[in-house]
Amino acid sequence: VYNNIAEKAEATKAVKETAGMLLSCGEELVGAYYYSTSCGFGTTAAVWKSGNEDIPYLQAKDIGSELGAYTAESLMEEENFKKFISEPENSDFEKEEGWYRWTYAVEKVNSENIEERLKARYDANGQLILTMNKNGEYESKKIKNIGKIKDIFIEKRNPGGVADELVIVAENAQLKVMSEYNIRYVLNDGETQVKRQDGSEVSSASLLPSAFCVIDAQKEDGVVAGYTVTGGGYGHGVGMSQNGAKSMAEQGWNYEDILTFFYDGSSLRPM
């Protein structure tokens, strides 16, 4: 992360040593998307709902020194992902990172705050925040007076386990929140701190660390009083994990092996 820090000799050396090298997949240059930390799996470009989701070099995959008990496709099943996120695998490159696992415990749900966050994301893209109509079908519709939250759960996951569709059942409406970004935004109350696996607590003003997560709702008298999000990783999960690459380098992987690991079917060639 840049953070406006001074130039470092190691970074300059790395730039010079790799100058003129291109990473491509066939004749196409790779769009080298990256994020901070994985939960042990990455996902595909489908998370962005951009319409350009079938990018061959951006695949959901196990980010570890050896294949674990799950495949990217098997983690689309809720029970599989719940077990995976609660039982870390020793072969994962980032198992020692603070962001590898985290929890976010909202003690008191503020339904008005959730409604405001839903409205904000609806205004950004109304096709990704849907409301169920009288025919039981979801449609893009202005949000108003949803009332207290009665249930909240993840309905659909993408390969690698990242949450793709979140359902919120309220007194006066049932809504579907689509895309990992919107889910991270709506579930964040702007106040609760994230507790990382090393015990440290970090402020999270607008987004949850990732959508590689499960939700446990605590109910009182048929209303969601609070909820706990248990998750892993930091970022969208597409392309290269920075802390994954760091760990691989520390274990002796060279830069070509790291890049071709994260960008499937890619290769390096001189310009």
Side-chain angles (χ1 to χ4, degrees):
V1 179
Y2 174 45
N3 287 339
N4 202 32
I5 59 177
E7 181 179 331
K8 292 292 184 74
E10 297 96 322
T12 301
K13 182 171 183 283
V15 169
K16 290 180 177 178
E17 288 180 352
T18 57
M21 297 300 293
L22 302 178
L23 186 67
S24 60
C25 185
E27 295 301 311
E28 179 184 2
L29 291 178
V30 163
Y33 299 102
Y34 63 91
Y35 57 100
S36 167
T37 309
S38 85
C39 67
F41 268 84
T43 190
T44 70
V47 296
W48 293 317
K49 308 291 184 186
S50 63
N52 185 23
E53 300 174 353
D54 187 20
I55 302 176
Y57 53 81
L58 297 177
Q59 298 295 318
K61 61 166 49 192
D62 189 327
I63 302 175
S65 57
E66 58 186 57
L67 294 177
Y70 302 94
T71 64
E73 287 69 31
S74 72
L75 291 180
M76 296 173 72
E77 299 294 328
E78 191 69 18
E79 289 307 312
N80 286 342
F81 188 79
K82 281 184 178 181
K83 189 174 181 181
F84 164 77
I85 208 71
S86 64
E87 299 175 0
E89 298 189 331
N90 289 327
S91 59
D92 289 346
F93 287 121
E94 293 148 284
K95 64 182 183 297
E96 303 301 328
E97 293 289 337
W99 284 118
Y100 175 69
R101 291 290 182 271
W102 50 264
T103 55
Y104 186 82
V106 175
E107 294 182 359
K108 187 176 181 180
V109 168
N110 184 332
S111 57
E112 293 179 357
N113 180 49
I114 291 177
E115 181 171 322
E116 289 305 310
R117 297 180 86 82
L118 286 165
K119 287 178 178 177
R121 296 317 302 161
Y122 177 88
D123 290 342
N125 186 342
Q127 299 305 311
L128 297 180
I129 307 293
L130 306 179
T131 302
M132 183 177 284
N133 61 27
K134 293 179 180 179
N135 298 323
E137 299 173 343
Y138 285 102
E139 63 181 7
S140 179
K141 181 181 176 181
K142 281 281 188 180
I143 300 164
K144 60 179 180 179
N145 189 30
I146 65 173
K148 294 180 180 179
I149 309 301
K150 299 174 70 176
D151 202 4
I152 186 167
F153 58 91
I154 292 167
E155 187 168 76
K156 180 175 177 289
R157 296 183 182 277
N158 279 339
V162 64
D164 188 55
E165 295 182 3
L166 174 77
V167 172
I168 297 175
V169 181
E171 286 179 310
N172 305 322
Q174 180 165 321
L175 302 107
K176 179 176 286 188
V177 180
M178 304 170 68
S179 89
E180 65 91 30
Y181 185 95
N182 286 342
I183 291 170
R184 292 165 66 189
Y185 184 87
V186 170
L187 288 178
N188 188 303
D189 66 359
E191 299 177 358
T192 302
Q193 291 193 317
V194 181
K195 187 173 183 178
R196 306 194 301 176
Q197 70 170 3
D198 59 7
S200 61
E201 294 189 346
V202 182
S203 296
S204 179
S206 60
L207 292 176
L208 292 186
S210 83
F212 291 84
C213 62
V214 296
I215 306 168
D216 294 307
Q218 294 89 50
K219 298 180 182 180
E220 294 178 6
D221 299 323
V223 173
V224 176
Y227 60 84
T228 300
V229 182
T230 303
Y234 194 110
H236 49 64
V238 182
M240 184 180 72
S241 165
Q242 292 173 295
N243 275 320
K246 172 177 174 285
S247 175
M248 293 161 79
E250 289 170 345
Q251 294 181 37
W253 291 54
N254 65 36
Y255 81 99
E256 181 173 6
D257 290 340
I258 292 171
L259 290 172
T260 55
F261 173 89
F262 283 109
Y263 303 105
D264 257 20
S266 67
S267 60
L268 279 168
R269 57 184 171 88
M271 188 165 14

